[in-house]
């Protein structure tokens, strides 16, 4: 058992229904401080929906999400406004990439600094020295993230013209700029090749160990999952199939049946000469 | 040679001042599966977009089934029997799944054939049948990907361009997709040009492969031989869990330049 | 071609990026200061109008170009400012106070408009603002005890420290000062978190929200600032025309304002003023050109509307980025000279996606 | 009795709004642009029929048919010349284009010597005829509008719901790129849509002519059709009709029972209320992006 | 100092018309009328050796454009006088520009009281205001028809309000009050609820603060629903379009007028001659606005002649302030100006549509 002070975010009996589809059904899990917790599951299992529930894009039909990141004690996330989530220290990336297309990479990262804004409206209008200092500070922070994720080349490029893989990284960078306590990553490696996926793995490890950020991740690439996750939760049709270490979950027969299949055997693809 | 379905000669495309592909030439023969590998931003998507007329090339020519289709209207090119599964799904978000599939068959006149193909894609992806009346925009990422692939199948084309079909699909489904691709190729003789990050699957399923770097083709061979090359192993195949790279953070320089 | 090596973050933040900027804007400032003596009265009057409409355009630009919220009822804010100014001035309120009140009241009206606007987008927002415009116009016409109703309202010339600013030069400088201050304010805002929040909302509401941006607050703020600037412009407009009536703030005025920012170039501060120049100069150019045409065409009523429409269409077709976009191209061309490549500005094929899902 | 008569004239007026709103919705559904030129296309259509009847002395039905065909051709041409070149640019550009087209149409008509600046009547065969149902007076001109609106609405509805063409139109408005990938001739369909919209506008113009007369500014009535379309939900054809009726009836009753000034602002007040209660209108689907 | 706009052999007259806005039709007719008289003068002679030159600007009925147009005419074209500027708000906005340069606002085409009130030495106005027209005509109509309940429907703008106020003032003299008043917005096409309201109030005389389409719309709707009171309009509804467009249903309505509509088959020979001359020149039938334009220039010519060879603003004002214009072929009444009376006359006649044509039915109505 884990002591409750270890838990950063806990979901209890989460359910949400869209018309006839029960997208998430009584899902409970805890994300502990400092861990990488991964959701896996077949397509349409409800993984993204869980993210959307946490970031308050949807409201659960039933269940609770509790946030333990505040010194003041646990907080019911379901009571929070959507824009308040980031301020609590929960940042996310999107499965389909939702960047600010008509802005540069740097600009995107600076928007990520929004929750740390200290200047008031009028001091911005007059651009007081304090505002100037705050701006410089924001840029410094953004540059740190740029350095961490090797985005120097793209700093001043418009997002609209970036290749898919780079955008994925920019999204991660933007989320990091909010200095989160919990980072939600929706399929961080999709669209990346093996080499880039390896980079992503290192970054996630750095984020976990050096920045001390907990990560909740949805991912299909099992090599990445096993490399970085501390614990894995497998879902299917909105319900929890199994929880445990990556190895345990991958060994679960039901997970293999619903999700993994016989991946390693590629002989079926080969053409018989 | 008459059995060349698609031929690119010295094609060069750019986004404004940025050249994305430079002098790409490639050939796809009848009944083949050809794959294009390449890292991020290499220009794979750009090649496919140039073929289907979404981007007009600056230089070079593209021939499909012996006809010049360079810079033609995309709708016209598709009508020649070429179908493109785009990067990023691109479903019609406010149409039902079924209408999306019907739009896939827009260029076809044979109602029976369309109905039959509809049944077969439903058989490939039963979830689509389940969600036939739901708006496609509300499907999960992977479900939309299935829809996008099915839509291309519905067109019953001679040539399918597949841009990262496994994007966002579960491991099991990824393999199934490749099995379906191979099946379509074998059963219907459909020629396929495949762009894929999952090089392991792609190299196993394909006959011929090209490697693209920075907009240039740097290697071309049969897949069997490509699979054996050191660089390919290092950069694209990676192999299981800890991979070739293992805990090594630095990258090896590619040797084909 | 100019390359700038940045050595400090501050360099990124500064308004004038390099010496060239300082030089050219200095030149512009110098011209604007000596203008009353350099150009004749008629052109000065035009320039005054350009400044007034530039201020209004600045507001609409912030709303439409940067926050992505289109208003087809902006004349209502212009009117609110104009009437506030008119009524207060006639009551003897000192000019600066009246001006501030005009801006404040318009901002308040802006906040009210933002209420329905928070929940709707795209065409729905357009129609909501349009409706609001109609209702406000009706209020101007019906609230006779204050606005003088349809009979209109005379506005006394502005007085500043016992010094009448009603005449050409004084009033011109007044407009110039207000315009310069508003522009600086907006530029400052745009390089600070508030401005970035606006741009974020324009590009993706969902991710703006997930970055912690309070959509309702920033949209309301955008409406309020935009309305306040329109109100300022309206106040000056009231003095310039010295007579205001409800039908000056009708839908056609609103459409004119929208056209102004579009033709100027959505999403650029320059665009607001370039658009204003266009809006004011166009009718003059047309009436000058008239004499060159055969009488059947030149003297025919409706010519003005026709030319206006044709020019608008031509702009959208050939320069969707507006006057500012054209200027950028010319500048790049000059900088690259003689290395300009032909395909540089060739338009890409591009494809639209549903705006309904944003 | 009084109430019935008010209701009746509200319905009749509402159908006018609905008929124009139908044109908006048609364009919107198929291209996702809002056409500010619809009112002026209507004006051109009415002038077309007027020209046919007065200048060439054609009988009404022939002139009407010719006007519709001519306007359809004009719509196709318009698409070809001004809209196609910027197809794919942000929708807002096309909205601006339609404003430009509206100016040009109005300007051109005004320039026609001896005709453009004047107001004309369209001598339709059913002009000024009325039916009396007891004390109720039914205007034949208005009845024609009601009937035509119903038929047009049904036809367009069927097209969008059931025909491949109609679905393809919607598809290309939702995702042009994907439409191209599917081999949908987006440009040709777009031309068709504008042709269709112009034809609908011409029909509306001719039906309206007996009531509003034919003049260069008759298109401004379109401004009241916007609220109608929004109340109904902008993407819905039946919504356009229902929205039109709501606006028409509210206007009629507001004019009678409320103080002066409310009749003209009532539609706009209704719209604002509607947007606060039901932001997507009566029939508009609630859309939300799935991320 | 040299007088602006008066050269050795020319006098520059400026006018601002609506050539692209809602009143483009009227604007064009007024311009043509002015041009006709200018050309006549230039062909036949001169004013003390000076020819006339007319500068026309388009305001599109937009006060902002009117200001700019006035700026242009006054400061760029250096006009001597502004004549026949159309529109109330447009005049209000343009006048300060003119007055700053001592330019007379001569007979603007708008019947608003502000065109001569408050008194300004640079303002001259010529036609009876809508207010006066109705104020004087209404009591007479009430007496003639024995009306018990008077209602009004008016356009919701300054023009309509003037009519409505005129009606109220007229009723006051008859010791009555408006039984019902309804309004509509410019450009309205549906008058059913207004008519229903007036019908419900049992009105037997309706004062029309309407222009053309609204007049026809209102009267037509009333006739259809079996509501047949006496209709009385102002000179704004006195145009041939009413019967041309409205057809038989318009028969019987009354309107006040200051000049007669110049039918090309007119009884009076000079008027018929004039109308045909206009038609030949501009290829369209003249209207009352053509007459306004013509009369304005005609009056200017007379006053300028009188001012003598040394034409300046002051000498022109001096001449105007003792001018009397005799009734002309258009049937306008005698009018006169002094230093304090800047409205030529406040009288109008009544006419009625009979068999699809306006017919004069009364002499000038005097209080
Ligand atoms: N807003 C919605 N309306 C209706 N159905 C929805 C909505 N959002 C999600 N769904 C449905 O809920 C189910 C779960 O979707 P979700 O996006 O969470 O899947 P996922 O696990 O992220 O799958 P993938 O790996 O393919 O992204 C899907 O069947 C989807 O169709
Ligand atoms: N719309 C655009 N505007 C400007 N540059 C672009 C645009 N799209 C792509 N590029 C550039 O073209 C190059 C090739 O991009 P492309 O999308 O073809 O790469 P890719 O090989 O498909 O990459 P990925 O694996 O990430 O999908 C990249 O360097 C990218 O920056
Ligand atoms: Mg998902
Ligand atoms: Mg790609």
């Amino acid at each position: 058992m884990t002591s409750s002070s270890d838990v950063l975010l806990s979901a209890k009996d989460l359910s949400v229904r869209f018309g006839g589809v029960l997208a998430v059904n009584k899902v409970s899990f805890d994300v502990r401080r400092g861990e990488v917790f991964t959701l896996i599951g077949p397509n349409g299992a409800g993984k993204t929906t869980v993210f959307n529930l946490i970031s308050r894009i949807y409201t659960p039909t039933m269940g609770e999400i509790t946030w333990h990141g505040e010194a003041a004690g646990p907080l019911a996330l379901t009571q929070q406004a959507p824009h308040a989530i980031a301020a609590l220290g929960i940042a996310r990336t999107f499965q389909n990439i939702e960047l600010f297309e008509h802005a540069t990479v740097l600009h995107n990262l600076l928007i990520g600094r929004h929750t740390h804004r200290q200047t008031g409206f009028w001091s911005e209008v007059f651009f007081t020295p304090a505002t100037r200092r705050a701006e410089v500070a924001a840029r410094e922070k953004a540059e740190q993230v740029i350095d961490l994720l090797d985005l120097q080349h793209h700093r001043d490029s418009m997002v609209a013209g970036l290749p898919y893989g780079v955008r994925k990284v920019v999204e991660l960078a933007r989320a990091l700029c909010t200095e989160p306590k919990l980072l939600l990553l929706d399929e961080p490696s999709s669209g990346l090749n093996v080499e880039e996926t390896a980079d992503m793995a290192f970054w996630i490890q750095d984020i976990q160990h050096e920045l001390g950020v907990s990560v909740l991740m949805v991912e299909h690439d099992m090599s990445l999952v096993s490399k970085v996750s501390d614990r894995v939760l497998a879902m299917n049709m909105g319900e929890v199939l199994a929880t445990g270490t990556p190895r345990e979950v991958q060994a679960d027969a039901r997970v293999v049946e619903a999700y993994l299949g016989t991946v390693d055997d590629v002989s079926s693809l080969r053409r018989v000469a | 040679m008459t059995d060349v379905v698609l031929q690119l000669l010295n094609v060069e495309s750019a986004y404004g001042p940025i050249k994305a592909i430079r002098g790409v030439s490639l050939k796809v023969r009848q009944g083949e599966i050809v794959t294009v590998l390449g890292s991020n931003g290499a220009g794979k998507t750009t090649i496919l977009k140039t073929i289907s007329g979404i981007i007009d090339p600056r230089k070079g020519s593209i021939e499909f089934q012996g006809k010049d289709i360079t810079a033609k209207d995309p709708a016209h090119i598709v009508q020649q029997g070429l179908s493109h599964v785009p990067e990023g799904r691109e479903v019609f978000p406010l149409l039902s799944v079924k209408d999306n599939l019907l739009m896939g068959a827009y260029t076809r006149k044979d109602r029976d054939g369309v109905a039959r193909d509809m049944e077969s894609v439903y058989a490939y992806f039963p979830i689509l049948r389940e969600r036939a009346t739901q708006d496609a925009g509300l499907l999960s990422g992977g479900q939309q990907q299935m829809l996008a692939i099915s839509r291309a199948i519905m067109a019953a084309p001679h040539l399918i361009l597949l841009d990262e079909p496994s994007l966002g699909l579960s491991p099991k489904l990824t393999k199934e997709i490749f099995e379906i691709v191979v099946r379509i190729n074998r059963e219907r003789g459909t020629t396929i040009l495949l762009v894929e990050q999952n090089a392991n699957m792609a190299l196993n399923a394909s006959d011929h492969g090209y490697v693209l770097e920075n907009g240039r083709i740097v290697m071309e061979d049969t897949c069997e031989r490509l699979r054996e090359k050191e660089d390919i192993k290092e950069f694209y195949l990676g192999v299981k869990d800890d991979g070739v790279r293992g805990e090594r953070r630095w990258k090896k320089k590619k040797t084909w330049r | 071609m100019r390359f700038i090596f940045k050595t400090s973050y501050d360099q990124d933040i500064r308004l004038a990026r390099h010496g060239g900027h300082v030089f050219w804007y200095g030149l512009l400032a110098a011209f604007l200061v000596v203008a009353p003596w350099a150009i004749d009265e008629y052109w000065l009057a035009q320039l005054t109008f350009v400044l007034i409409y530039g201020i209004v355009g600045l507001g609409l630009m912030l709303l439409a170009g940067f926050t992505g919220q289109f208003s087809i009822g902006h004349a209502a804010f212009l009117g609110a400012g104009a009437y506030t100014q008119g009524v207060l001035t006639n009551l003897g309120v000192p000019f600066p106070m009246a001006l501030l009140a005009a801006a404040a009241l318009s901002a308040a009206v802006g906040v009210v408009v933002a209420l329905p606007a928070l929940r709707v987008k795209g065409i729905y927002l357009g129609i909501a603002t349009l409706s609001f415009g109609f209702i406000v116009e009706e209020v101007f016409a019906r609230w006779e005890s204050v606005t003088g109703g349809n009979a209109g309202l005379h506005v006394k010339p502005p007085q500043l420290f016992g010094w009448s600013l009603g005449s050409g030069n004084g009033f011109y400088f007044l407009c110039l000062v207000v315009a310069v201050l508003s522009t600086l304010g907006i530029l400052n805002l745009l390089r600070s978190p508030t401005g970035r929040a606006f741009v974020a909302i324009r590009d993706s509401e969902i991710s703006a929200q997930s970055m912690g941006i309070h959509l309702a607050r920033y949209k309301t703020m955008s409406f309020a600032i935009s309305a306040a600037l329109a109100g300022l412009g309206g106040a000056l407009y009231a003095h310039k025309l010295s007579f205001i009536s409800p039908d000056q703030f009708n839908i056609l005025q609103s459409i004119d304002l929208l056209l102004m920012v579009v033709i100027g170039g959505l999403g650029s501060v320059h665009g607001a003023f370039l658009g204003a120049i266009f809006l004011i100069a166009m009718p003059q150019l047309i009436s000058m050109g008239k004499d060159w045409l055969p009488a059947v065409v030149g003297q025919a009523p409706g010519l003005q509307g026709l030319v206006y429409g044709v020019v608008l269409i031509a702009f959208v077709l050939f320069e969707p980025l507006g006057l500012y976009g054209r200027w950028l191209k010319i500048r790049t061309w000059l900088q690259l000279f003689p290395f300009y490549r032909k395909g540089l500005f060739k338009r890409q094929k591009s494809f639209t996606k549903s705006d309904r899902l944003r | 009795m009084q109430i019935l008569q008010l209701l009746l004239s509200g319905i009749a007026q509402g159908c006018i709004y609905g008929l124009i709103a139908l044109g908006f919705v048609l364009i919107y559904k198929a291209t996702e642009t809002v056409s500010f030129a619809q009112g002026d296309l209507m004006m051109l259509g009415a002038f077309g029929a007027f020209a046919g009847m007065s200048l060439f002395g054609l009988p009404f039905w022939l002139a009407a048919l010719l006007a519709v065909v001519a306007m359809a051709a004009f719509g196709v041409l318009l698409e070809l010349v001004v809209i196609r070149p910027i197809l794919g640019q942000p929708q807002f550009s096309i909205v601006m284009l339609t404003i430009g087209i509206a100016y040009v149409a109005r300007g051109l008509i005004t320039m026609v010597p001896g005709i453009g600046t004047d107001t004309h009547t369209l001598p339709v065969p059913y002009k000024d005829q009325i039916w009396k149902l007891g004390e109720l007076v039914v205007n034949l001109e208005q009845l024609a509008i009601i009937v035509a609106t119903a038929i047009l609405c049904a036809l367009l509805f069927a097209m969008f719901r059931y025909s491949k063409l109609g679905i393809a139109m919607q598809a290309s408005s939702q995702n042009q790129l994907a439409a191209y990938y599917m081999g949908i001739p987006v440009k040709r369909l777009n031309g068709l849509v504008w042709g269709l919209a112009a034809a609908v506008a011409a029909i509306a113009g001719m039906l309206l002519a007996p009531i509003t007369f034919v003049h260069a500014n008759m298109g401004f009535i379109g401004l009241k059709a916007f609220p109608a379309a929004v109340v109904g939900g902008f993407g819905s054809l039946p919504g356009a009709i229902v929205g039109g009726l709501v606006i028409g009836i509210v206007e009629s009753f507001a004019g009678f029972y409320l103080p002066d000034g409310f009749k003209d602002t009532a539609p706009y007040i209704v719209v604002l209320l509607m947007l606060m209660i039901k932001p997507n209108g009566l029939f508009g689907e609630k859309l939300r992006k799935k991320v | 100092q040299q007088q602006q706009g008066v050269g050795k052999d020319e006098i520059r007259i400026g006018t601002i018309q609506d050539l692209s806005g809602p009143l483009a039709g009227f604007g064009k007719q007024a311009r043509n009328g002015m041009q006709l008289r200018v050309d006549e003068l230039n062909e036949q002679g001169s004013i003390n050796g000076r020819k006339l030159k007319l500068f026309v600007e388009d305001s599109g009925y937009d006060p902002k454009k009117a200001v700019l147009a006035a700026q242009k005419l006054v400061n760029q074209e250096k006009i001597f006088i502004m004549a026949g500027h159309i529109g109330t708000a447009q005049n209000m906005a343009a006048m300060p520009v003119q007055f700053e340069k001592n330019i007379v606002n001569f007979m603007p085409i708008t019947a608003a009281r502000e065109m001569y009130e408050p008194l300004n030495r640079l303002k001259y106005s010529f036609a009876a205001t809508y207010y006066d027209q109705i104020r004087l005509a209404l009591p007479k109509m009430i007496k003639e028809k024995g009306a018990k309940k008077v209602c009004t429907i008016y356009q919701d703008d300054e023009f309509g309000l003037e009519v409505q106020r005129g009606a109220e003032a007229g009723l006051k003299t008859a010791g009555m009050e408006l039984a019902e008043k309804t309004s509509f917005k410019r450009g309205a096409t549906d008058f059913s609820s207004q008519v229903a309201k007036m019908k419900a109030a049992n009105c037997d005389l309706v004062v029309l603060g309407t222009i053309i389409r609204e007049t026809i719309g209102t009267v037509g709707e009333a006739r259809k629903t079996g509501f047949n009171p006496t209709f009385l309009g102002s000179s704004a509804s006195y145009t041939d379009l009413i019967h041309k467009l409205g057809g038989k249903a318009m028969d019987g309505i009354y309107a006040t007028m200051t000049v007669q509509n110049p039918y090309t088959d007119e009884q009076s020979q000079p008027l018929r001659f004039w109308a045909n001359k206009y038609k030949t020149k501009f290829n369209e039938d003249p209207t009352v606005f053509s007459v306004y334009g013509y009369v304005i220039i005609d009056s200017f010519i007379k006053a300028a002649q009188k001012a003598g060879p040394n034409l300046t603003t002051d000498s022109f004002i001096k001449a105007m302030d003792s001018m009397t214009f005799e009734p002309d072929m258009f049937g306008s009444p005698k009018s006169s100006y002094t230093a304090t009376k800047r409205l030529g006359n406040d009288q109008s006649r009544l006419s009625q549509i009979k068999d699809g044509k306006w017919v004069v039915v009364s002499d000038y109505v005097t209080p």
Side-chain angles (χ1 to χ4, degrees), chain E residues 30 39 53 73 84 92 96 107 117 120 128 154 167 177 191 223 232 243 283 324 340 365:
Chain E
D39 291 349
K53 192 156 182 216
L73 290 173
M92 301 296 290
M107 303 192 175
E117 274 174 358
N120 184 314
Y154 62 97
E177 277 198 3
F191 308 93
R223 302 268 196 249
L232 170 65
H243 52 79
N283 198 20
T324 300
T340 52
V365 186

Side-chain angles (χ1 to χ4, degrees), chain A residues 61-77:
Chain A
T61 14
M62 246 170 52
E64 286 285 334
I65 308 173
T66 318
W67 174 244
H68 299 278
E70 299 299 285
L75 191 75
L77 273 194

Side-chain angles (χ1 to χ4, degrees), chain E residues 289-362:
Chain E
F289 279 85
S290 323
V291 175
Y292 291 152
Y294 188 87
V295 169
I296 289 166
I297 296 294
D298 191 55
S299 307
F300 171 77
I301 292 172
K302 286 185 179 131
Q305 295 280 18
K306 187 172 167 196
N310 180 24
L311 182 64
T312 64
T313 299
D314 290 335
S315 72
F316 181 78
I317 290 174
K318 194 153 166 255
M320 263 310 280
D321 284 351
S322 56
M323 276 304 274
T324 300
F325 296 99
E326 291 303 323
D328 56 21
M329 61 179 167
F330 304 107
S332 30
K334 179 169 153 175
S335 58
S336 61
Y337 296 85
T338 71
T340 52
K341 175 175 174 292
R342 290 310 182 79
L343 176 65
N345 77 83
D346 60 0
Q347 292 169 8
S348 56
R349 286 189 286 180
L350 270 173
S351 61
Q352 188 184 20
I353 298 183
K354 288 182 181 161
D355 297 328
K357 221 169 177 190
W358 285 106
V359 180
V360 182
V361 292
S362 85

Side-chain angles (χ1 to χ4, degrees), chain A residues 42-49 51-52 92 94-96 186-187 218 220, chain B residues 89 139-143 168, chain D residues 290-291:
Chain A
N43 298 110
K47 306 176 294 294
T48 303
T49 308
F51 273 29
N52 286 344
R92 75 171 287 182
F94 296 87
Q95 184 173 4
N96 280 328
D186 202 344
E187 304 197 4
V218 168
H220 287 304
Chain B
R89 291 120 198 196
L139 295 177
S140 83
Q143 290 164 349
Chain D
K290 181 185 180 303
V291 289

Side-chain angles (χ1 to χ4, degrees), chain B residues 25-43:
Chain B
S25 300
L26 62 81
K27 243 185 231 164
V28 181
R29 292 198 185 79
Q30 176 65 43
E32 256 187 349
I33 303 183
V34 171
T35 183
V36 178
L37 302 178
S39 54
N40 236 292

Side-chain angles (χ1 to χ4, degrees), chain A residues 256-263, chain B residues 170-177:
Chain A
V256 173
E257 154 73 28
Y259 180 63
L260 295 172
T262 49
V263 200
Chain B
S170 73
K172 184 177 173 200
L173 207 62
T174 305
K175 186 160 163 237
E176 280 173 21
I177 290 270

Side-chain angles (χ1 to χ4, degrees), chain E residues 198-234:
Chain E
M198 293 191 288
K199 189 180 176 192
N202 285 320
C203 301
D204 51 10
L205 197 163
V206 171
V207 178
L208 297 168
T210 54
I211 306 181
I212 302 168
R213 293 188 286 273
E214 301 79 15
T215 307
I216 302 169
T218 307
V219 176
E221 173 78 21
R223 302 268 196 249
K224 270 173 212 155
T225 47
F227 171 49
N228 285 308
T230 308
F231 287 103
L232 170 65
S234 68

